């Protein structure tokens, strides 16, 4: 990771740590670098399940079975570290988080976001342009 990228990731991490108690955008306990909606919530709805072909359903299931364990493994590393960083920021008698801890957390968040964006890219190819646009419209409504 380059120095500029590390500094940027550290700054994003610090800003998110300070803002995190104010708002929770997602139902999972680790903040994202990008605010990406969860497409499976929409794709699991009955009208999508009726619309998708057997091949598309199989490809989406394969994608999910590959991506979910990778993402959850990264999240399981990030959760305890995030809790430690929160404690260090908010506890009166605790030292400020170390740069190393912030960089480790920022790297985990980057890796989680890479998994998400990679899944989005693959999902685009499974759905095709028309269905992708329909999915985006529905995601924006919710």
């Amino acid at each position: 990771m380059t120095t500029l990228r590390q500094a940027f990731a550290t700054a994003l991490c610090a800003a998110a740590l300070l803002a995190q108690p104010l708002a929770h955008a997602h139902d999972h306990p680790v903040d994202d670098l990008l605010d990406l909606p969860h497409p499976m919530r929409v794709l699991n709805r009955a009208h999508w399940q009726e619309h998708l072909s057997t091949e598309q359903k199989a490809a989406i299931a394969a994608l999910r079975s590959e991506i979910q364990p990778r993402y959850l493994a990264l999240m399981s590393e990030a959760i305890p570290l995030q809790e430690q960083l929160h404690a260090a920021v908010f506890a009166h008698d605790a030292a400020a988080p170390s740069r190393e801890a912030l960089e480790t957390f920022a790297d985990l968040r980057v890796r989680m976001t890479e998994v998400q964006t990679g899944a989005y890219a693959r999902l685009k190819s499974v759905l095709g342009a028309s269905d992708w646009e329909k999915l985006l419209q529905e995601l924006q409504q919710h």
Side-chain angles (χ1 to χ4, degrees):
M1 191 182 284
T2 65
T3 304
L4 181 59
R5 186 173 172 193
Q6 287 175 332
F8 181 69
T10 301
L12 280 174
C13 180
L17 284 172
L18 294 174
Q20 195 270 341
L22 301 175
H24 291 277
H26 298 286
D27 61 354
H28 59 76
V30 177
D31 299 327
D32 293 327
L33 288 176
L34 297 175
D35 186 19
L36 299 175
H38 198 299
M40 291 309 299
R41 289 190 181 125
V42 173
L43 292 174
N44 283 330
R45 293 182 182 149
H47 69 280
W48 275 97
Q49 288 300 305
E50 292 169 5
H51 173 74
L52 295 171
S53 70
T54 303
E55 293 80 17
Q56 287 174 312
K57 289 177 189 176
I60 290 169
L63 175 62
R64 184 175 185 178
S65 68
E66 177 188 331
I67 296 299
Q68 191 173 35
R70 289 175 45 208
Y71 189 83
L72 292 177
L74 291 167
M75 188 184 299
S76 71
E77 289 182 59
I79 290 170
L81 183 54
Q82 178 174 263
E83 290 170 356
Q84 292 170 4
L85 292 170
H86 276 143
V89 168
F90 294 112
H92 184 271
D93 59 348
S98 70
R99 180 177 183 90
E100 180 182 342
L102 290 171
E103 287 176 354
T104 299
F105 186 66
D107 181 60
L108 285 167
R109 290 183 54 199
V110 166
R111 290 168 50 203
M112 290 170 71
T113 301
E114 288 171 341
V115 169
Q116 286 179 303
T117 57
Y120 264 72
R122 288 178 51 193
L123 186 57
K124 287 179 199 178
S125 67
V126 169
L127 293 178
S130 177
D131 283 341
W132 178 251
E133 290 301 319
K134 289 176 189 173
L135 176 63
L136 290 180
Q137 289 173 2
E138 199 165 331
L139 287 170
Q140 290 173 356
Q141 295 172 0
H142 300 281

